[in-house]
Amino acid sequence: MLVASNRGPVSYEVGEDGALSSKRGGGGLVSGLSAIGPDTDAVWVCAALGDGDREAVARAGGGLLPEADTGGQRVRMLDIDAATHADAYNGIANSVLWFVHHMLYQTPLEPVFDAEFRRKWAAYEAYNRAFAEALAEEAAEGAAVLIQDYHLALAPRMLRRLRPDLRIGHFSHTPWAPPEYFRLLPDDIAAELLTGILGADRAAFLTRRWADAFTACCHAVLGPGIPSGTRVGVHGLGADADFLRERAHRADVDERMVALREEIGAGRRTVVRVDRTELSKNIVRGLLAYRHLLAERPEWREKVVHVAFAYPSRQDLAVYRDYTAEVQRVADEINSAFGTPGWTPVVLHVKDDFARSLAAYRLADVALVNPIRDGMNLVAKEVPVVSDEGCVLVLSREAGAYEELSEDAVPVNPYDIVGTADALHAALGVPPEERAERTKRLAAAATALPPARWFLDQLEELRG
Ligand code: F6P
């Protein structure tokens, strides 16, 4: 069995003394795969992302990385030419495909599909080819290969041509754009992306909505019917309750709770959000809604704090750097407009700290999860699992998680600032018993398909 993804389960850094240090990656895919245990032949193929990774690949002679670094996982990292990787990853995957599936373009001026785009597209093809060739080389006869995400949309078809004997699955962790938006892409590119994924035996998605959008794009771009007979499936990744509950009660999390309570101030309510500073997460509109709440409902002043953790993401892209600055600017503006000597209305932290995120999950009165569009959004699923006393979830109807959590969440249209402020007001007013009951039901729905099961289900379906 093989897994392929751009970002792998381990990353390396070169220290000042030239020594390499490794860090194990987090996330659902890593924990899902670690649960495969007995299938010791599984190999994870990923890309080298920085100088440390490239050095590690060189030291491993291009073969498998030392198992001491990977927690026993067999990992092959591909040292794809750095410029090619940058054009494929930043130029196409993050700046075009991510924008299309999350519908992020400001269309009067973008996208522009010019010669420069075509040059980057050639790099995206080369990057996908490098993965297909490595997978073809690693895979035993009839092996199952699980290819992840929009970075690798072309690889299934390329691999199918090299190795018709393999069982190939593709999984999209993002939303899928509706046809009218997907067709912003040039026709040949749109067709190449779809036929690339259709090279797989199964194309899987996080929700029915994204799976249906993919099928609708196939009909719109390629003609009626799914030409290759590829099966389309849905696997709604859930939160890992055992891991989260254990991790959330370690001493470092308790320490962070004490520090956070100090920053918040005694007796105040909290509206918590935890995100990567990702354009689709809608952090700025969340802040604007909170500002509207304070402006229009002065009874909340001094009584509530918006705890916003906005961790760095994709800082190679100018638009992400600008967005990060805007988050900081709006938070500062709210604090200077409304803050008092004893009350800081917005507590913003930008340095990634998992223990502090868990501390915030535990003490949150309200969790604000308002993405413009999101494949799933695991924060919406994690908060109810670790909440100490129950938390009201204000949830965008455009998050994949909405499909499973809508009944016990307070829904919002992510563009509607006034509506979001009203939702925050309503959520802050939910009585404790109702809050606890709702949280219990949310936690049950959020953990229905834990990562290991999510992964094994895909494998079983593929091996059929
Ligand atoms: O969160 C959705 C997702 O598509 C993941 O599947 C993927 O690992 C990640 O985003 C990519 O983020 P990055 O560019 O930081 O690797």
Side-chain angles (χ1 to χ4, degrees):
M1 194 264 291
L2 293 98
V3 174
S5 62
N6 175 62
R7 193 179 288 280
V10 61
S11 67
Y12 290 88
E13 272 184 28
V14 192
E16 279 175 12
D17 56 354
L20 269 186
S21 59
S22 65
K23 208 170 81 190
R24 193 155 159 69
L29 195 58
V30 176
S31 39
L33 193 74
S34 352
I36 307 286
D39 199 344
T40 46
D41 287 341
V43 177
W44 193 322
V45 178
C46 59
L49 303 182
D51 293 343
D53 287 358
R54 291 179 197 284
E55 181 57 29
V57 176
R59 291 189 195 178
L64 297 178
L65 297 174
E67 291 190 11
D69 299 345
T70 63
Q73 176 63 57
R74 288 152 59 92
V75 179
R76 181 164 164 204
M77 226 176 221
L78 307 180
D79 185 356
I80 297 166
D81 165 69
T84 304
H85 184 270
D87 284 340
Y89 173 66
N90 281 322
I92 299 295
N94 289 343
S95 300
V96 178
L97 303 182
W98 184 271
F99 273 59
V100 168
H101 289 314
H102 292 85
M103 301 169 57
L104 294 174
Y105 284 120
Q106 309 210 15
T107 50
L109 292 176
E110 53 175 19
V112 172
F113 294 119
D114 54 7
E116 179 60 6
F117 164 76
R118 292 281 167 177
R119 191 187 63 71
K120 290 179 179 159
W121 183 257
Y124 182 76
E125 290 173 324
Y127 160 93
N128 271 262
R129 201 167 306 113
F131 267 83
E133 284 167 2
L135 291 165
E137 210 176 283
E138 288 291 337
E141 178 74 23
V145 185
L146 292 159
I147 299 175
Q148 311 297 315
D149 250 332
Y150 54 99
H151 313 94
L152 294 172
L154 309 182
R157 181 165 179 236
M158 291 172 170
L159 180 59
R160 162 79 56 229
R161 286 191 172 151
L162 294 170
R163 291 286 305 274
D165 60 298
L166 300 176
R167 303 276 177 103
I168 305 173
H170 185 274
F171 196 91
S172 293
H173 295 258
T174 58
W176 194 275
E180 56 280 18
Y181 204 88
F182 189 71
R183 298 190 83 181
L184 289 178
L185 290 165
D187 290 352
D188 60 321
I189 302 290
E192 201 179 327
L193 284 165
L194 295 170
T195 52
I197 291 179
L198 291 172
D201 297 287
R202 271 190 103 237
F205 298 85
L206 286 165
T207 69
R208 174 52 48 202
R209 183 178 174 195
W210 313 141
D212 289 348
F214 173 77
T215 306
C217 285
C218 290
H219 294 329
V221 174
L222 305 174
I226 300 259
S228 67
T230 304
R231 286 173 294 142
V232 175
V234 176
H235 302 271
L237 176 63
D240 189 344
D242 296 341
F243 164 74
L244 285 168
R245 291 198 177 116
E246 189 278 324
R247 184 66 190 85
H249 286 87
R250 289 202 207 152
D252 58 345
V253 177
D254 291 334
E255 281 164 27
R256 305 277 195 299
M257 282 181 83
V258 172
L260 268 178
R261 286 212 169 95
E262 190 118 324
E263 282 185 278
I264 293 160
R268 294 199 172 109
R269 304 279 180 93
T270 51
V271 173
V272 166
R273 75 173 307 136
V274 177
D275 295 286
R276 301 200 292 165
T277 308
E278 160 52 53
L279 309 179
S280 57
K281 300 294 182 187
N282 210 21
I283 303 169
V284 171
R285 284 197 194 84
L287 287 163
L288 297 178
Y290 178 67
R291 184 174 71 186
H292 186 81
L293 175 82
L294 298 180
E296 297 301 315
R297 300 186 192 267
E299 68 269 27
W300 285 116
R301 294 184 199 166
E302 305 260 3
K303 303 251 168 48
V304 64
V305 171
H306 185 15
V307 177
F309 296 166
Y311 299 145
S313 174
R314 302 183 191 160
Q315 291 292 299
D316 288 346
L317 298 180
V319 62
Y320 277 69
R321 295 195 297 275
D322 294 349
Y323 187 75
T324 303
E326 182 63 2
V327 168
Q328 185 74 60
R329 192 190 67 73
V330 179
D332 290 346
E333 186 190 285
I334 295 172
N335 284 340
S336 50
F338 294 95
T340 63
W343 173 55
T344 306
V346 181
V347 169
L348 175 68
H349 285 292
V350 297
K351 192 170 173 292
D352 197 343
D353 180 343
F354 186 50
R356 195 187 46 213
S357 301
L358 291 172
Y361 287 0
R362 280 182 58 187
L363 57 72
D365 294 298
V366 172
L368 175 58
V369 180
N370 65 327
I372 289 172
R373 221 168 139 82
D374 212 334
M376 176 55 75
N377 197 299
L378 280 180
V379 173
K381 292 189 162 182
E382 290 167 353
V383 174
V385 174
V386 298
S387 166
D388 278 356
E389 285 171 25
C391 171
V392 183
L393 178 63
V394 173
L395 181 60
S396 164
R397 62 192 190 197
E398 305 305 319
Y402 187 75
E403 216 162 275
E404 293 158 88
L405 306 181
S406 62
E407 274 182 33
D408 285 293
V410 180
V412 283
N413 166 351
Y415 301 96
D416 183 354
I417 302 297
V418 174
T420 304
D422 289 346
L424 291 176
H425 173 70
L428 285 163
V430 172
E433 315 74 56
E434 185 187 335
R435 211 167 96 161
E437 282 306 314
R438 280 193 191 206
T439 305
K440 230 187 275 168
R441 289 193 296 266
L442 285 170
T447 53
L449 190 59
R453 191 68 252 163
W454 169 81
F455 190 82
L456 287 171
D457 282 359
Q458 290 178 59
L459 201 56
E460 279 165 19
E461 288 281 353
L462 190 60
R463 286 179 170 155

